[in-house]
PDB file of all heavy atoms in Angstrom:
ATOM      1  N   GLU A  57      17.998  11.164  17.931  1.00  0.00           N
ATOM      2  CA  GLU A  57      16.711  11.764  18.277  1.00  0.00           C
ATOM      3  C   GLU A  57      16.877  13.061  19.060  1.00  0.00           C
ATOM      4  O   GLU A  57      17.660  13.152  19.997  1.00  0.00           O
ATOM      5  CB  GLU A  57      15.886  10.777  19.103  1.00  0.00           C
ATOM      6  CG  GLU A  57      14.501  11.301  19.401  1.00  0.00           C
ATOM      7  CD  GLU A  57      13.679  10.316  20.194  1.00  0.00           C
ATOM      8  OE1 GLU A  57      14.136   9.191  20.368  1.00  0.00           O
ATOM      9  OE2 GLU A  57      12.588  10.700  20.640  1.00  0.00           O
ATOM     10  N   ASP A 108     -13.508  13.597 -16.185  1.00  0.00           N
ATOM     11  CA  ASP A 108     -12.725  14.208 -17.258  1.00  0.00           C
ATOM     12  C   ASP A 108     -13.587  14.697 -18.423  1.00  0.00           C
ATOM     13  O   ASP A 108     -13.072  15.046 -19.491  1.00  0.00           O
ATOM     14  CB  ASP A 108     -11.652  13.242 -17.765  1.00  0.00           C
ATOM     15  CG  ASP A 108     -12.232  12.049 -18.514  1.00  0.00           C
ATOM     16  OD1 ASP A 108     -13.466  11.863 -18.490  1.00  0.00           O
ATOM     17  OD2 ASP A 108     -11.449  11.297 -19.133  1.00  0.00           O
ATOM     18  N   GLY A 124     -12.574  10.763  -2.556  1.00  0.00           N
ATOM     19  CA  GLY A 124     -13.315  11.012  -1.333  1.00  0.00           C
ATOM     20  C   GLY A 124     -12.649  12.074  -0.478  1.00  0.00           C
ATOM     21  O   GLY A 124     -11.546  12.565  -0.795  1.00  0.00           O
ATOM     22  N   LEU A 135      -7.920   8.339  15.471  1.00  0.00           N
ATOM     23  CA  LEU A 135      -8.832   8.594  14.365  1.00  0.00           C
ATOM     24  C   LEU A 135     -10.072   7.728  14.521  1.00  0.00           C
ATOM     25  O   LEU A 135      -9.965   6.521  14.767  1.00  0.00           O
ATOM     26  CB  LEU A 135      -8.150   8.292  13.032  1.00  0.00           C
ATOM     27  CG  LEU A 135      -8.953   8.588  11.761  1.00  0.00           C
ATOM     28  CD1 LEU A 135      -9.294  10.070  11.666  1.00  0.00           C
ATOM     29  CD2 LEU A 135      -8.165   8.137  10.526  1.00  0.00           C
ATOM     30  N   LYS A 140     -20.926   4.653   6.543  1.00  0.00           N
ATOM     31  CA  LYS A 140     -22.285   4.175   6.271  1.00  0.00           C
ATOM     32  C   LYS A 140     -22.355   3.676   4.835  1.00  0.00           C
ATOM     33  O   LYS A 140     -21.990   4.386   3.903  1.00  0.00           O
ATOM     34  CB  LYS A 140     -23.318   5.286   6.475  1.00  0.00           C
ATOM     35  CG  LYS A 140     -24.757   4.815   6.220  1.00  0.00           C
ATOM     36  CD  LYS A 140     -25.768   5.929   6.429  1.00  0.00           C
ATOM     37  CE  LYS A 140     -27.188   5.426   6.180  1.00  0.00           C
ATOM     38  NZ  LYS A 140     -28.194   6.505   6.355  1.00  0.00           N
ATOM     39  N   LEU A 158      -1.381  -1.061  15.205  1.00  0.00           N
ATOM     40  CA  LEU A 158      -0.774  -1.745  16.341  1.00  0.00           C
ATOM     41  C   LEU A 158      -1.819  -2.003  17.422  1.00  0.00           C
ATOM     42  O   LEU A 158      -2.373  -1.074  18.014  1.00  0.00           O
ATOM     43  CB  LEU A 158       0.374  -0.900  16.897  1.00  0.00           C
ATOM     44  CG  LEU A 158       1.161  -1.517  18.059  1.00  0.00           C
ATOM     45  CD1 LEU A 158       1.868  -2.792  17.608  1.00  0.00           C
ATOM     46  CD2 LEU A 158       2.163  -0.521  18.623  1.00  0.00           C
ATOM     47  N   ASP A 167     -12.062  -7.231   3.961  1.00  0.00           N
ATOM     48  CA  ASP A 167     -13.169  -8.184   3.946  1.00  0.00           C
ATOM     49  C   ASP A 167     -12.646  -9.591   3.722  1.00  0.00           C
ATOM     50  O   ASP A 167     -11.845  -9.846   2.829  1.00  0.00           O
ATOM     51  CB  ASP A 167     -14.152  -7.807   2.828  1.00  0.00           C
ATOM     52  CG  ASP A 167     -14.710  -6.404   3.021  1.00  0.00           C
ATOM     53  OD1 ASP A 167     -15.093  -6.077   4.151  1.00  0.00           O
ATOM     54  OD2 ASP A 167     -14.736  -5.628   2.039  1.00  0.00           O
ATOM     55  N   GLY A 190       2.716  11.193   8.049  1.00  0.00           N
ATOM     56  CA  GLY A 190       3.018  11.290   6.626  1.00  0.00           C
ATOM     57  C   GLY A 190       1.765  11.203   5.779  1.00  0.00           C
ATOM     58  O   GLY A 190       0.675  11.591   6.205  1.00  0.00           O
ATOM     59  N   TYR A 227      -2.070  14.839  -3.376  1.00  0.00           N
ATOM     60  CA  TYR A 227      -2.160  15.014  -4.824  1.00  0.00           C
ATOM     61  C   TYR A 227      -2.142  13.619  -5.443  1.00  0.00           C
ATOM     62  O   TYR A 227      -1.091  12.997  -5.586  1.00  0.00           O
ATOM     63  CB  TYR A 227      -0.982  15.856  -5.320  1.00  0.00           C
ATOM     64  CG  TYR A 227      -1.305  16.735  -6.512  1.00  0.00           C
ATOM     65  CD1 TYR A 227      -2.309  17.696  -6.435  1.00  0.00           C
ATOM     66  CD2 TYR A 227      -0.590  16.623  -7.698  1.00  0.00           C
ATOM     67  CE1 TYR A 227      -2.598  18.526  -7.507  1.00  0.00           C
ATOM     68  CE2 TYR A 227      -0.872  17.448  -8.773  1.00  0.00           C
ATOM     69  CZ  TYR A 227      -1.879  18.401  -8.681  1.00  0.00           C
ATOM     70  OH  TYR A 227      -2.166  19.212  -9.739  1.00  0.00           O
ATOM     71  N   ILE A 242     -13.538  -8.197 -15.571  1.00  0.00           N
ATOM     72  CA  ILE A 242     -13.937  -9.332 -16.404  1.00  0.00           C
ATOM     73  C   ILE A 242     -13.106  -9.363 -17.686  1.00  0.00           C
ATOM     74  O   ILE A 242     -12.626 -10.427 -18.119  1.00  0.00           O
ATOM     75  CB  ILE A 242     -15.439  -9.268 -16.721  1.00  0.00           C
ATOM     76  CG1 ILE A 242     -16.261  -9.485 -15.453  1.00  0.00           C
ATOM     77  CG2 ILE A 242     -15.825 -10.297 -17.781  1.00  0.00           C
ATOM     78  CD1 ILE A 242     -17.743  -9.201 -15.621  1.00  0.00           C
ATOM     79  N   GLY A 252      -2.920 -12.604 -22.332  1.00  0.00           N
ATOM     80  CA  GLY A 252      -2.940 -11.188 -22.687  1.00  0.00           C
ATOM     81  C   GLY A 252      -2.939 -10.306 -21.469  1.00  0.00           C
ATOM     82  O   GLY A 252      -3.163 -10.755 -20.344  1.00  0.00           O
ATOM     83  N   ALA A 256      -6.342  -1.290 -21.457  1.00  0.00           N
ATOM     84  CA  ALA A 256      -5.663  -0.004 -21.226  1.00  0.00           C
ATOM     85  C   ALA A 256      -6.608   0.962 -20.531  1.00  0.00           C
ATOM     86  O   ALA A 256      -7.817   0.980 -20.799  1.00  0.00           O
ATOM     87  CB  ALA A 256      -5.188   0.588 -22.554  1.00  0.00           C
ATOM     88  N   GLY A 276      -6.829  20.416 -13.686  1.00  0.00           N
ATOM     89  CA  GLY A 276      -6.732  20.978 -12.357  1.00  0.00           C
ATOM     90  C   GLY A 276      -5.680  22.071 -12.341  1.00  0.00           C
ATOM     91  O   GLY A 276      -4.731  22.062 -13.130  1.00  0.00           O
ATOM     92  N   TYR A 286       7.199  24.557  -1.375  1.00  0.00           N
ATOM     93  CA  TYR A 286       5.927  23.854  -1.239  1.00  0.00           C
ATOM     94  C   TYR A 286       6.141  22.358  -1.010  1.00  0.00           C
ATOM     95  O   TYR A 286       7.003  21.745  -1.649  1.00  0.00           O
ATOM     96  CB  TYR A 286       5.088  24.042  -2.501  1.00  0.00           C
ATOM     97  CG  TYR A 286       4.592  25.457  -2.690  1.00  0.00           C
ATOM     98  CD1 TYR A 286       5.331  26.382  -3.423  1.00  0.00           C
ATOM     99  CD2 TYR A 286       3.400  25.878  -2.114  1.00  0.00           C
ATOM    100  CE1 TYR A 286       4.891  27.681  -3.590  1.00  0.00           C
ATOM    101  CE2 TYR A 286       2.945  27.180  -2.280  1.00  0.00           C
ATOM    102  CZ  TYR A 286       3.695  28.075  -3.009  1.00  0.00           C
ATOM    103  OH  TYR A 286       3.252  29.370  -3.169  1.00  0.00           O
ATOM    104  N   LEU A 288       4.348  18.775  -1.476  1.00  0.00           N
ATOM    105  CA  LEU A 288       3.315  18.129  -2.279  1.00  0.00           C
ATOM    106  C   LEU A 288       3.304  16.649  -1.927  1.00  0.00           C
ATOM    107  O   LEU A 288       4.350  15.991  -1.938  1.00  0.00           O
ATOM    108  CB  LEU A 288       3.608  18.323  -3.770  1.00  0.00           C
ATOM    109  CG  LEU A 288       2.532  17.924  -4.772  1.00  0.00           C
ATOM    110  CD1 LEU A 288       1.270  18.776  -4.587  1.00  0.00           C
ATOM    111  CD2 LEU A 288       3.062  18.069  -6.203  1.00  0.00           C
ATOM    112  N   PHE A 327       8.928   8.122  -9.636  1.00  0.00           N
ATOM    113  CA  PHE A 327       8.199   6.910 -10.009  1.00  0.00           C
ATOM    114  C   PHE A 327       7.298   6.477  -8.861  1.00  0.00           C
ATOM    115  O   PHE A 327       7.757   6.360  -7.717  1.00  0.00           O
ATOM    116  CB  PHE A 327       9.177   5.786 -10.344  1.00  0.00           C
ATOM    117  CG  PHE A 327       8.525   4.436 -10.549  1.00  0.00           C
ATOM    118  CD1 PHE A 327       8.075   4.051 -11.798  1.00  0.00           C
ATOM    119  CD2 PHE A 327       8.357   3.550  -9.486  1.00  0.00           C
ATOM    120  CE1 PHE A 327       7.475   2.811 -12.005  1.00  0.00           C
ATOM    121  CE2 PHE A 327       7.761   2.318  -9.673  1.00  0.00           C
ATOM    122  CZ  PHE A 327       7.318   1.949 -10.942  1.00  0.00           C
ATOM    123  N   ALA A 374       0.567  35.151 -13.228  1.00  0.00           N
ATOM    124  CA  ALA A 374       0.752  34.606 -14.577  1.00  0.00           C
ATOM    125  C   ALA A 374      -0.506  34.835 -15.404  1.00  0.00           C
ATOM    126  O   ALA A 374      -1.622  34.894 -14.883  1.00  0.00           O
ATOM    127  CB  ALA A 374       1.069  33.122 -14.510  1.00  0.00           C
ATOM    128  N   PHE A 478      12.035 -13.166   7.168  1.00  0.00           N
ATOM    129  CA  PHE A 478      12.595 -12.796   5.873  1.00  0.00           C
ATOM    130  C   PHE A 478      11.768 -13.456   4.780  1.00  0.00           C
ATOM    131  O   PHE A 478      11.458 -14.657   4.861  1.00  0.00           O
ATOM    132  CB  PHE A 478      14.054 -13.246   5.774  1.00  0.00           C
ATOM    133  CG  PHE A 478      14.921 -12.710   6.887  1.00  0.00           C
ATOM    134  CD1 PHE A 478      15.057 -13.406   8.077  1.00  0.00           C
ATOM    135  CD2 PHE A 478      15.591 -11.509   6.744  1.00  0.00           C
ATOM    136  CE1 PHE A 478      15.847 -12.914   9.115  1.00  0.00           C
ATOM    137  CE2 PHE A 478      16.382 -11.002   7.780  1.00  0.00           C
ATOM    138  CZ  PHE A 478      16.505 -11.703   8.957  1.00  0.00           C
ATOM    139  N   LEU A 520      22.616  -8.337  -0.953  1.00  0.00           N
ATOM    140  CA  LEU A 520      21.573  -7.789  -0.098  1.00  0.00           C
ATOM    141  C   LEU A 520      22.136  -6.739   0.854  1.00  0.00           C
ATOM    142  O   LEU A 520      23.287  -6.813   1.280  1.00  0.00           O
ATOM    143  CB  LEU A 520      20.891  -8.907   0.695  1.00  0.00           C
ATOM    144  CG  LEU A 520      20.248 -10.017  -0.144  1.00  0.00           C
ATOM    145  CD1 LEU A 520      19.548 -11.031   0.772  1.00  0.00           C
ATOM    146  CD2 LEU A 520      19.257  -9.451  -1.156  1.00  0.00           C
ATOM    147  N   TYR A 538      13.211 -11.207  -8.386  1.00  0.00           N
ATOM    148  CA  TYR A 538      12.908 -11.455  -6.982  1.00  0.00           C
ATOM    149  C   TYR A 538      12.953 -10.161  -6.180  1.00  0.00           C
ATOM    150  O   TYR A 538      13.546  -9.158  -6.585  1.00  0.00           O
ATOM    151  CB  TYR A 538      13.866 -12.487  -6.380  1.00  0.00           C
ATOM    152  CG  TYR A 538      15.319 -12.051  -6.303  1.00  0.00           C
ATOM    153  CD1 TYR A 538      15.778 -11.225  -5.274  1.00  0.00           C
ATOM    154  CD2 TYR A 538      16.239 -12.482  -7.253  1.00  0.00           C
ATOM    155  CE1 TYR A 538      17.106 -10.837  -5.200  1.00  0.00           C
ATOM    156  CE2 TYR A 538      17.574 -12.098  -7.190  1.00  0.00           C
ATOM    157  CZ  TYR A 538      18.001 -11.280  -6.158  1.00  0.00           C
ATOM    158  OH  TYR A 538      19.312 -10.883  -6.095  1.00  0.00           O
ATOM    159  N   ALA A 542      12.279  -7.905   4.818  1.00  0.00           N
ATOM    160  CA  ALA A 542      12.363  -8.373   6.206  1.00  0.00           C
ATOM    161  C   ALA A 542      11.503  -7.480   7.079  1.00  0.00           C
ATOM    162  O   ALA A 542      11.377  -6.282   6.829  1.00  0.00           O
ATOM    163  CB  ALA A 542      13.806  -8.351   6.695  1.00  0.00           C
ATOM    164  N   LEU A 552      -2.474  -9.307   5.545  1.00  0.00           N
ATOM    165  CA  LEU A 552      -2.445  -9.636   4.126  1.00  0.00           C
ATOM    166  C   LEU A 552      -1.199  -9.046   3.474  1.00  0.00           C
ATOM    167  O   LEU A 552      -0.790  -7.935   3.789  1.00  0.00           O
ATOM    168  CB  LEU A 552      -3.692  -9.065   3.447  1.00  0.00           C
ATOM    169  CG  LEU A 552      -3.837  -9.223   1.921  1.00  0.00           C
ATOM    170  CD1 LEU A 552      -3.967 -10.688   1.538  1.00  0.00           C
ATOM    171  CD2 LEU A 552      -5.043  -8.424   1.428  1.00  0.00           C
ATOM    172  N   SER A 578      -8.596  -9.019  21.003  1.00  0.00           N
ATOM    173  CA  SER A 578     -10.014  -9.334  20.860  1.00  0.00           C
ATOM    174  C   SER A 578     -10.628  -8.465  19.772  1.00  0.00           C
ATOM    175  O   SER A 578     -10.151  -7.362  19.499  1.00  0.00           O
ATOM    176  CB  SER A 578     -10.750  -9.094  22.184  1.00  0.00           C
ATOM    177  OG  SER A 578     -10.234  -9.927  23.200  1.00  0.00           O
ATOM    178  N   ALA A 584     -19.229  -9.081  15.663  1.00  0.00           N
ATOM    179  CA  ALA A 584     -20.236 -10.135  15.484  1.00  0.00           C
ATOM    180  C   ALA A 584     -21.493  -9.587  14.814  1.00  0.00           C
ATOM    181  O   ALA A 584     -22.090 -10.247  13.952  1.00  0.00           O
ATOM    182  CB  ALA A 584     -20.573 -10.776  16.827  1.00  0.00           C
ATOM    183  N   GLY A 596     -29.542 -14.038   1.594  1.00  0.00           N
ATOM    184  CA  GLY A 596     -30.851 -13.732   1.020  1.00  0.00           C
ATOM    185  C   GLY A 596     -30.782 -13.822  -0.493  1.00  0.00           C
ATOM    186  O   GLY A 596     -30.447 -14.861  -1.059  1.00  0.00           O
TER     187      GLY A 596
END
Side-chain angles (χ1 to χ4, degrees):
E57 184 179 352
D108 69 350
L135 183 61
K140 181 180 181 181
L158 183 64
D167 301 315
Y227 213 59
I242 293 170
Y286 291 91
L288 190 63
F327 172 89
F478 304 89
L520 302 183
Y538 65 81
L552 177 65
S578 299

